[in-house]
Amino acid sequence: MNNKELQRLTESISENLFNKKFKHKAYFNNRLRTTGGRYLLKSHNIEVNNKQFETYGTKAVIDIIKHELCHYHLHLEGKGYQHRDKDFKELSRITGAPRYCSAITNYEDRVKHVYQCNHCGTEFKRIRKVNTQKMVCGVCSGKLIEIC
Ligand SMILES: [Zn+2]
Ligand SMILES: [Zn+2]
């Protein structure tokens, strides 16, 4: 599967399963380590870990896309788009998306928590969970969101 096919697959899952258009970009990122994919708060693009595809095939990519599309649509609609939110739990149940983006970690990375600043989009990786009520973005002091 190449980026073009991934884009088409994402658009068709979005239309068929969510009844909504996917208007941004979906592409492989071979630098992803800790998650199968991620939704980028700032650009609204979806990145997919291509090792996940190489190891587990198309089925795994479909699961990742479903999960990321839950973040995507809820975020754009101003609803609860984080894993712990009611809206997120509900949408992932309805669409059959996995609640978490499973990581392939044969080369177990110690990073467990990935945060994005909801203002500038900078990514922060932490081994331990941080208190996002207190911790802010080191670049712009924006709010940190745990999301993948
Ligand atoms: Zn920031
Ligand atoms: Zn996620």
Side-chain angles (χ1 to χ4, degrees):
M1 196 187 303
N2 58 32
N3 280 334
K4 216 171 156 184
E5 289 161 337
L6 179 65
Q7 177 75 27
R8 271 206 302 269
L9 182 62
T10 307
E11 286 169 1
S12 97
I13 292 172
S14 183
E15 281 183 40
N16 293 322
L17 204 57
F18 294 79
N19 286 314
K20 285 165 196 163
K21 283 213 184 306
F22 176 70
K23 297 174 185 160
H24 293 80
K25 294 262 166 282
Y27 51 87
F28 287 109
N29 179 345
N30 59 15
R31 286 172 304 131
L32 288 185
R33 290 285 180 274
T34 54
T35 65
R38 66 177 174 183
Y39 165 63
L40 297 166
L41 285 167
K42 193 142 167 75
S43 64
H44 309 296
N45 292 336
I46 288 173
E47 296 185 343
V48 175
N49 186 329
N50 49 348
K51 290 199 188 65
Q52 194 86 358
F53 172 65
E54 285 154 20
T55 314
Y56 300 105
T58 306
K59 168 87 177 62
V61 174
I62 291 172
D63 274 347
I64 293 165
I65 293 171
K66 284 184 192 172
H67 177 93
E68 306 308 333
L69 280 173
C70 288
H71 286 306
Y72 174 83
H73 287 299
L74 291 168
H75 183 232
L76 288 177
E77 288 162 16
K79 296 180 181 159
Y81 62 89
Q82 299 186 60
H83 295 158
R84 62 161 185 267
D85 292 327
K86 227 175 92 193
D87 291 334
F88 189 89
K89 288 175 187 167
E90 173 121 342
L91 187 58
S92 56
R93 189 178 52 77
I94 293 168
T95 56
R99 281 270 312 282
Y100 298 97
C101 5
S102 52
I104 37 149
T105 44
N106 297 337
Y107 41 88
E108 169 60 8
D109 219 329
R110 292 185 66 220
V111 172
K112 291 274 191 293
H113 300 280
V114 181
Y115 299 88
Q116 283 176 51
C117 170
N118 77 344
H119 184 66
C120 72
T122 303
E123 193 174 276
F124 299 88
K125 293 175 178 170
R126 295 289 179 270
I127 292 165
R128 290 173 204 285
K129 214 169 170 60
V130 309
N131 182 347
T132 52
Q133 307 291 352
K134 288 184 186 161
M135 251 278 287
V136 295
C137 171
V139 179
C140 76
S141 302
K143 192 169 159 43
L144 296 184
I145 306 285
E146 184 170 22
I147 197 175
C148 58

